Amino acid sequence: MNMPKFRIGLRLKVILISSFLLTLPWVGYKYILEMEKLLRQGQEQTLVGTTRAVATALNERPKLFSSQASFLESVKKGRDLYAYELQSPITLNGQLADWTDYDDRMVHYGREYVQFSRRPYNNSSISFRHLVGKYDGYLYAAFEVKDKNPIMRRKNSVRVDRNDHLIIAMTSPDGEFFRYVVAAHEDGWLNAWQITDDITDSTNLILQNQIQGYWRTTDKGYNIELRIPLSFLGNKLGFAFYDVNNGQNREIETIIGTSNTSHLNRLGTVLVPSPEIEKILKGMGHTSTRIWVIDRHQRVLAQTGNIQDSNGVWSSSVKYAGNEDSWWSTIEKKVLHPLYYRYFISEPTEFVDSLKDEALVKGVHVSQALSGRGYSHWRQSEDGKAMILAAAYPIWLGDNVMGAVIAEESTVGIQTLRNRAMEQLFNAILTIMAIGTITLFLFASKISSRIRRLRDEAEQAIDSQGRIQQHISPTEDTDEIGDLSRSLAAMVGRLGQYNHYLENLSSRLSHELRTPVAVVRSSIENLSMHNQDEDSQRYIARAQDGVHRLSTILSSMTEATRIEQSLQGAEKERFPLNELVTGCMQGYQMAYPHQVFDVQTGKSDIFIYGAPDYLAQLLDKLIANAEDFSKNEDAIEVSLVQKGLSAVLTVSNRGPLLPDNMSDQLLNSMVSVRSQQKQTKPHLGLGLFIARLITQFHQGEIELKNRLDQQGVEVVITLPVQIIDK
């Protein structure tokens, strides 16, 4: 059988469409995640290749490293200095305002950096904060000295060592050792003096105009800013403050500094970022990736690029492709993208870069590179807003690792590319969902229209009395609705056949029973002519009464059938209904002399288009039915009024109420609720059935209901009024 196939057809369509729509977002999202993984792997391989290429350009070039003291066994903080790359030149005014951005990089020099102290060192003794930086061929130095009692140089004094002063010791690019002294007799501009031998002998001091500075006294001590040409500087540098507290004897109380400035071999180193390496980096064009070159002590020799702007090789892939002036682009920018980025997509934001301008770079990738192996790893930014990829590769000099190249990129480029893919995915999902919604809407509309059409056909097939008016047209569709329409069509067909059989049953019975009834009647009449005893006469009388009652039943059944058939060929005419009602009521008053009638038909004529004889017969049935259920002293009320385009005829009588849910059933044939006490003749309940047939023939409506005062029953007939065209 094909029934199971039909029953699963509609469900299968809905399930397939719904499942398809639900799997699209998940499949698209998984695809984008896999694409992001592949892009990260590609970025990692590309970044490692970048570090390898840069390291290859720096391999076997010892001059780039030996001049930067890369051969030291260890680097000590405070002693070995690092010159930071300054973003702008320093104004020498002693206010240290230009050093604000580098304040956290200043090194504090206290007890552990004391080289000589005449008395025990305490918190009130001299200390200072210090930083050096490089800009445009100069080395800048800043000193913030804490000294409760600064002792300035006497004016016109030839001695520079009988007051607070600063000793600068350095090596030249050729390795020659030089010492300079800075001493001021007042706040303001100053120059350094080169010490050729003994500092106590003024003849051993040579003014060096190229080393310039500024001395400014503060509430806590004094500030010094210096500028030294990089051409003077080799790979060693040290600063030492000589503190004098007694203005009378002017003896040195404390010496504190970055390193011992008296001997070359005890001097600290200085690392100045290599301009040669920076030129190499910039010449290679890797400015979108942040690249460091470090020595083997992890000190930064050169740096280029900004990781905040590092989209890497993906920077060209994240640009919006398409016509930005099109209507779709406008909808995307103003409607869709704000919605996506508010609820579904996180937009790349600026993150905290903890390694920006660092002097030392550390990490597992750095350790691996300095051990001779290339390495890469992922790390989160300090605020957790971005993932950063770092790769490192060693720089070789012979068999020794002289340093490493470090490259870093954030995932902003990949994230932007992923977001673009997510935008396209959401656009596709919205488009597919819109198409799917429209498709499902049309599909559901088609199903609902078919169901409504089937419902309308089912309602029109059977009238309120259960008669079959028209058949249901079965469809050829192979789904459940088509199956249902064929089942309903077959059911209505069978009901129509059975209804037709019942409708013709009365005429058939009356026709078939008349002959045997006539035979029985003639036989009883012949039998009654013979002399019979008293008992026989009584039985013959009962038989005659029964035959009479049976004849009455057959006549009633014949009347109903005859009226139903005759209505099909009845002719209609235009006539005043109120005159028909008035004439009929006069006849009823004579037919029922003991019954009281109350008639209200109005003064104006109410014209209708119909058959007067049948309407009079309708009124006969209603008055006879009302008279049977009312008492003689209770008036039967008959009223006729016009309401709009309808004539409303009401017949009301006092008496028993209608049973619940029986008002519509009483209009069917063979239905009666008449009590047996007043039923002196057989009654088949055909009166109201005939009234319904006549009302429907005149395109009217008939309604049975209890009176508003619950004292009886009323029948309301509504007929269309015939309007006279003027």
Side-chain angles (χ1 to χ4, degrees), residues 616-632:
Q617 191 171 359
L618 178 147
L619 197 56
D620 291 345
K621 299 298 182 183
L622 298 183
I623 295 299
N625 193 70
E627 195 276 334
D628 287 342
F629 286 95
S630 64
K631 298 179 180 179
N632 293 334

Side-chain angles (χ1 to χ4, degrees), residues 645-705:
L645 299 178
S646 300
V648 180
L649 175 64
T650 304
V651 178
S652 176
N653 66 276
R654 295 180 180 272
L657 300 176
L658 292 174
D660 295 337
N661 302 322
M662 284 293 292
S663 58
D664 292 336
Q665 297 183 27
L666 290 175
L667 297 174
N668 297 329
S669 63
M670 312 298 283
V671 179
S672 176
V673 293
R674 196 179 303 271
S675 63
Q676 298 295 328
Q677 297 178 357
K678 205 170 183 179
Q679 189 170 334
T680 59
K681 57 182 179 179
H683 197 282
L684 301 180
L686 295 173
L688 293 177
F689 173 68
I690 294 173
R692 179 178 67 92
L693 294 178
I694 297 173
T695 302
Q696 291 178 345
F697 172 72
H698 288 85
Q699 287 81 45
E701 296 179 358
I702 181 172
E703 181 182 7
L704 275 70
K705 60 183 179 180

Side-chain angles (χ1 to χ4, degrees), residues 298 323 622 688 716:
Q298 302 179 353
N323 185 6
L622 298 183
L688 293 177
V716 181

Side-chain angles (χ1 to χ4, degrees), residues 89-297:
I90 301 297
T91 301
L92 301 178
N93 54 16
Q95 295 181 354
L96 306 184
D98 296 332
W99 301 87
T100 304
D101 294 338
Y102 311 96
D103 187 72
D104 57 337
R105 295 180 176 86
M106 281 195 172
V107 180
H108 180 266
Y109 293 82
R111 181 189 303 272
E112 63 272 25
Y113 294 96
V114 173
Q115 301 172 14
F116 167 80
S117 181
R118 198 174 294 276
R119 296 179 179 84
Y121 186 88
N122 54 48
N123 293 333
S124 62
S125 301
I126 185 173
S127 63
F128 68 95
R129 295 172 68 233
H130 165 60
L131 185 69
V132 292
K134 181 198 81 166
Y135 184 84
D136 194 22
Y138 286 95
L139 181 76
Y140 291 87
F143 302 92
E144 184 181 23
V145 182
K146 180 181 178 182
D147 187 1
K148 294 180 63 176
N149 186 25
I151 302 299
M152 306 293 286
R153 178 184 175 189
R154 292 193 184 101
K155 290 185 178 182
N156 300 321
S157 174
V158 295
R159 296 285 297 270
V160 295
D161 61 330
R162 304 282 291 173
N163 47 262
D164 291 344
H165 59 275
L166 170 65
I167 298 297
I168 306 171
M170 68 178 73
T171 58
S172 67
D174 297 332
E176 189 176 355
F177 182 59
F178 291 93
R179 297 175 72 235
Y180 301 90
V181 59
V182 174
H185 57 81
E186 62 180 357
D187 289 359
W189 191 265
L190 53 79
N191 294 104
W193 296 83
Q194 180 181 349
I195 305 172
T196 59
D197 192 3
D198 185 7
I199 192 173
T200 61
D201 187 355
S202 60
T203 60
N204 295 327
L205 300 179
I206 302 174
L207 181 64
Q208 181 52 263
N209 293 326
Q210 305 240 359
I211 300 179
Q212 302 168 338
Y214 198 97
W215 183 301
R216 179 181 293 274
T217 304
T218 64
D219 296 338
K220 297 181 180 180
Y222 53 91
N223 296 337
I224 298 177
E225 287 182 316
L226 294 176
R227 182 174 63 191
I228 304 172
L230 288 176
S231 58
F232 283 22
L233 186 62
N235 57 11
K236 289 192 174 185
L237 176 65
F239 301 94
F241 281 94
Y242 287 68
D243 182 39
V244 175
N245 291 326
N246 192 326
Q248 299 298 324
N249 58 28
R250 292 183 175 263
E251 293 182 347
I252 302 298
E253 297 286 342
T254 306
I255 301 176
I256 183 172
T258 62
S259 59
N260 193 320
T261 58
S262 300
H263 304 281
L264 173 63
N265 58 354
R266 300 182 65 181
L267 198 61
T269 63
V270 60
L271 178 63
V272 179
S274 171
E276 292 81 5
I277 298 178
E278 287 185 358
K279 290 179 181 179
I280 294 174
L281 296 184
K282 292 181 180 180
M284 297 184 68
H286 294 285
T287 55
S288 64
T289 301
R290 182 166 68 184
I291 301 178
W292 284 295
V293 176
I294 63 173
D295 63 7
R296 63 179 182 176
H297 302 296

Side-chain angles (χ1 to χ4, degrees), residues 304-328:
T304 185
N306 185 359
I307 197 172
Q308 297 287 355
D309 301 326
S310 60
N311 291 329
V313 297
W314 318 107
S315 58
S316 60
S317 303
V318 297
K319 296 181 180 178
Y320 179 77
N323 185 6
E324 296 185 0
D325 297 330
S326 64
W327 63 271
W328 175 248

